[in-house]
């Protein structure tokens, strides 16, 4: 490590000292580099191994690296989906004594993909739509806290599967700025227009390369972010007025926001002098309603739609087994130990990097439903698990890091090492 080099980090990983910082990033040896798909970037970015995980190293200026590092740390404290900042490294000197560019180091988001990696031959219209919807939700969350992005695009976003949809994570905060007093309508509209234009350009680029389904119109898909954003923004921040006799609409507004994955910490409710009208407006809105409930009940950390799906299965388990009168947390612990964990343990070790456990469970429930419909009977969870692993999961690529995905197959032991009751309770789940 060069004597003059400076590392700025909340916690310094000793493995950082072993990387070849005295070489330009483009000259780093192949044994250091990890072959991961990445989006389009104005800076040189390389993925490298570090202490058992993968980090992204981006060459940039010292000022931009420090600014982005601080911004990502701030966004993390505000529970905004974004990559984890690891360190800023400055004062790099090459082997010939030349100055080298500073770098920003961020942790690679496991099970995430840039939009260009989310297609094999072509990007289907429904996939493009789901990506745009996820980006619209992320943009709304950022604007609610007063964050102006400045360079909204699919390329500056990572996507993780979320129970049939996608969850979007901010990757590049270089142009972002946080306004504690909130954003003006002009700032929000500018971000939205940048998003629309960038997305159209990115999809047109895919179309030119024959990577976009012929039924997908890049302009129509890009325009969707505007419509989706406006719908979400109005639902989250808009004022609603109704007759005083319709007070049930207050709870209805709260339930609609919960269904979108948001919690309300405060409502502003005003009544007219005549008492005939009521006006309500959410004051503080937090995303992750279902995530927080699932984490509180089970300790499982999942994306919002995954959490919603797992909670639905938990509620169904509670009703199916006559547990409605029991404490919710006690039933949740039982569901985890008797339903969720056995499914996770049933996954062969070489397949566990294909998808996150919560996404596997979601897909398993979908597969079980299709099997039951096709065979016109109630398929048990163990039977569906075996079929899903052999027929679906084995043929999925490894999305943990997409490094040398395994292709070999092994026999499936379904909890064979566990002591089972004489009657397997899972057969009735």
């Amino acid at each position: 490590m060069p004597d003059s080099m400076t590392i700025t980090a909340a916690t310094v990983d000793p493995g950082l000292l072993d990387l070849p910082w005295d070489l330009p990033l483009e000259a780093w040896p192949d044994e250091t580099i990890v072959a991961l798909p990445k989006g389009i970037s104005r800076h040189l970015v390389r993925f490298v191994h570090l202490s058992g995980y993968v980090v992204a190293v981006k060459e940039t200026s010292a000022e931009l690296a420090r600014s982005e590092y601080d911004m990502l740390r701030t966004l993390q404290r505000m529970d905004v989906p974004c990559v984890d900042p690891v360190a800023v490294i400055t004062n790099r000197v090459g082997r010939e004594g030349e100055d080298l560019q500073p770098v920003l180091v961020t942790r690679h988001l496991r099970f995430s993909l840039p939009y260009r990696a989310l297609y094999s031959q072509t990007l289907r219209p429904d996939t493009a739509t789901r990506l745009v919807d996820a980006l619209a939700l992320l943009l709304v969350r950022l604007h609610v806290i007063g964050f102006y992005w400045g360079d909204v695009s699919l390329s500056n976003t990572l996507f993780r599967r979320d129970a049939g949809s996608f969850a979007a994570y901010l990757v590049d905060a270089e142009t972002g700025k946080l306004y504690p007093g909130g954003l003006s309508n002009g700032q929000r509209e500018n971000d939205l227009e940048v998003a629309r234009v960038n997305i159209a350009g990115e999809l047109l680029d895919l179309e030119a390369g024959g990577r976009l389904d012929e039924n997908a119109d890049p302009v129509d898909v890009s325009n969707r972010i505007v419509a989706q954003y406006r719908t979400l923004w109005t639902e989250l921040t808009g004022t609603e007025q109704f007759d005083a006799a319709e007070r049930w609409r207050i709870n209805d507004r709260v339930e609609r926001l919960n269904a979108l994955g948001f919690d309300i910490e405060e409502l502003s409710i005003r009544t007219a002098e005549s008492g005939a009208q009521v006006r309500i407006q959410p004051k503080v809105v937090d995303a992750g309603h279902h995530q927080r409930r699932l984490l509180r009940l089970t300790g499982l950390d999942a994306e919002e739609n995954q959490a919603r799906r797992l909670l639905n299965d938990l509620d169904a388990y509670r009703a199916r087994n006559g547990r409605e009168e029991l404490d919710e947390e006690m039933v949740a612990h039982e569901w985890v130990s008797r339903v969720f964990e056995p499914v996770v343990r049933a996954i062969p070790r070489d397949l566990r990097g294909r998808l996150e456990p919560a996404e596997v469970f979601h897909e398993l429930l979908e597969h079980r439903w299709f099997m039951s419909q096709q065979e016109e009977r109630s398929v048990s969870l163990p039977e569906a698990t075996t079929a899903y692993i052999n027929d679906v999961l084995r043929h999925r690529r490894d999305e943990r890091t997409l490094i040398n995905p395994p292709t070999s197959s092994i026999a499936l032991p379904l909890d064979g090492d566990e002591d089972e009751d004489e009657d397997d309770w899972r057969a009735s789940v």
Side-chain angles (χ1 to χ4, degrees):
M1 184 184 74
D3 294 335
S4 61
M5 193 175 75
T6 302
I7 299 178
T8 302
T11 302
V12 177
D13 188 322
L16 282 172
L17 305 178
D18 299 326
L19 295 175
W21 299 115
D22 56 349
L23 291 175
L25 191 55
E26 63 181 358
W28 280 23
D30 292 342
E31 60 268 21
T32 303
I33 303 301
V34 178
L36 280 178
K38 57 177 180 283
I40 300 172
S41 174
R42 65 175 63 88
H43 302 287
L44 178 61
V45 178
R46 290 288 181 90
F47 293 105
V48 301
H49 287 290
L50 178 66
S51 303
Y53 58 97
V54 176
V55 295
V57 181
K58 178 172 74 172
E59 283 187 337
T60 182
S61 69
E63 181 181 359
L64 289 177
R66 291 193 184 99
S67 174
E68 187 170 4
Y69 175 83
D70 291 339
M71 180 60 71
L72 289 172
R73 292 195 68 194
T74 300
L75 293 176
Q76 277 197 324
R77 288 193 293 269
M78 301 176 78
D79 290 327
V80 172
C82 62
V83 293
D84 182 12
V86 175
V88 172
I89 299 177
T90 56
N91 298 324
R92 295 172 60 211
V93 178
R95 295 177 181 178
E96 303 298 326
E98 74 279 15
D99 291 335
L100 299 179
Q101 280 189 292
V103 300
L104 171 68
V105 183
T106 56
R107 187 162 185 157
H108 177 258
L109 185 64
R110 295 174 73 244
F111 295 101
S112 67
L113 296 167
Y115 79 100
R116 284 176 170 265
L118 284 167
Y119 58 87
S120 53
Q121 297 301 319
T122 58
L123 182 65
R124 299 193 307 272
D126 64 326
T127 303
T129 297
R130 286 181 290 155
L131 293 179
V132 168
D133 288 351
L135 184 52
L137 178 58
L138 175 61
L139 189 58
V140 166
R141 291 185 63 173
L142 291 169
H143 285 177
V144 164
I145 65 169
F147 180 81
Y148 174 76
W149 195 339
D151 192 16
V152 190
S153 67
L154 296 173
S155 295
N156 288 336
T157 313
L158 283 175
F159 298 91
R160 297 174 76 173
R161 298 190 188 278
D162 185 14
S165 299
F166 290 102
Y169 285 73
L170 182 145
V171 177
D172 193 332
E174 182 178 297
T175 58
K177 187 173 182 180
L178 199 59
Y179 293 87
L183 300 181
S184 67
N185 287 336
Q187 288 172 313
R188 292 193 302 105
E189 289 298 323
N190 187 71
D191 247 359
L192 200 54
E193 178 63 11
V194 169
R196 187 188 68 80
V197 172
N198 282 346
I199 292 170
E202 289 164 328
L203 296 180
L204 284 167
D205 182 53
L206 290 183
E207 184 180 58
R211 297 294 188 178
L212 186 68
D213 189 285
E214 61 181 11
N215 295 317
D217 186 317
V219 175
D220 287 346
V221 174
S222 66
N223 285 338
R224 181 180 175 87
I225 194 172
V226 178
Q228 189 73 357
Y229 174 93
R230 297 201 194 288
T231 298
L232 287 170
W233 185 261
T234 300
E235 191 65 68
L236 295 178
T237 65
T239 299
E240 187 173 356
Q241 183 170 321
F242 48 85
D243 292 335
E246 299 178 296
R247 295 178 183 176
W248 56 270
R249 291 177 63 177
I250 297 175
N251 288 333
D252 185 60
R253 178 70 176 273
V254 173
E255 290 174 359
R256 292 203 313 271
L257 289 169
N258 289 164
L260 289 172
F262 290 86
D263 280 331
I264 303 176
E265 292 186 6
E266 182 181 346
L267 274 178
S268 175
I269 303 177
R270 295 184 180 181
T271 57
E273 292 184 3
S274 63
Q277 294 285 319
V278 175
R279 290 167 57 90
I280 64 170
Q281 182 175 18
K283 281 292 184 181
V284 180
V285 184
D286 276 340
H289 171 76
H290 299 95
Q291 288 174 306
R292 285 190 289 274
R293 183 187 169 211
L294 181 69
L295 188 62
R296 175 178 59 83
L297 290 175
T298 68
L300 299 174
D301 191 8
E303 297 291 350
E304 181 65 16
N305 289 326
Q306 292 170 346
R308 189 201 315 264
R309 189 63 188 274
L310 267 61
L311 287 168
N312 287 342
D313 194 69
L314 167 59
D315 292 339
Y317 173 86
R318 190 177 187 185
R320 187 169 54 242
N321 293 278
R323 304 289 202 271
E324 292 95 338
E325 303 302 320
L326 297 180
D327 178 76
E328 186 179 39
E329 292 186 3
M330 184 176 70
V331 178
H333 176 74
E334 180 181 304
W335 174 84
V336 169
S337 62
R338 302 191 70 185
V339 179
F340 184 80
E341 288 183 346
V343 167
V344 174
R345 289 198 304 268
I347 301 172
R349 186 174 301 276
D350 67 327
L351 301 181
R352 291 180 184 175
R354 299 295 170 93
L355 292 172
E356 289 180 286
E359 188 69 17
V360 166
F361 194 83
H362 156 72
E363 289 197 354
L364 167 61
L365 294 180
E366 291 281 294
H367 193 68
R368 181 188 183 189
W369 184 84
F370 282 117
M371 287 181 65
S372 298
Q373 292 292 309
Q374 186 176 27
E375 300 180 19
E376 298 183 347
R377 64 183 180 88
S378 180
V379 176
S380 69
L381 189 62
E383 183 182 358
T385 300
T386 302
Y388 168 75
I389 291 173
N390 288 328
D391 299 339
V392 179
L393 190 59
R394 286 195 186 282
H395 307 286
R396 297 295 298 265
R397 61 184 176 180
D398 191 317
E399 292 192 357
R400 180 169 44 195
T401 55
L402 282 182
I403 306 172
N404 298 325
T407 57
S408 60
S409 61
I410 62 173
L412 170 66
L414 189 55
D415 287 325
D417 297 332
E418 299 290 330
D419 292 332
E420 300 286 354
D421 296 332
E422 183 176 350
D423 294 325
D424 187 350
W425 57 267
R426 290 173 297 162
S428 61
V429 173

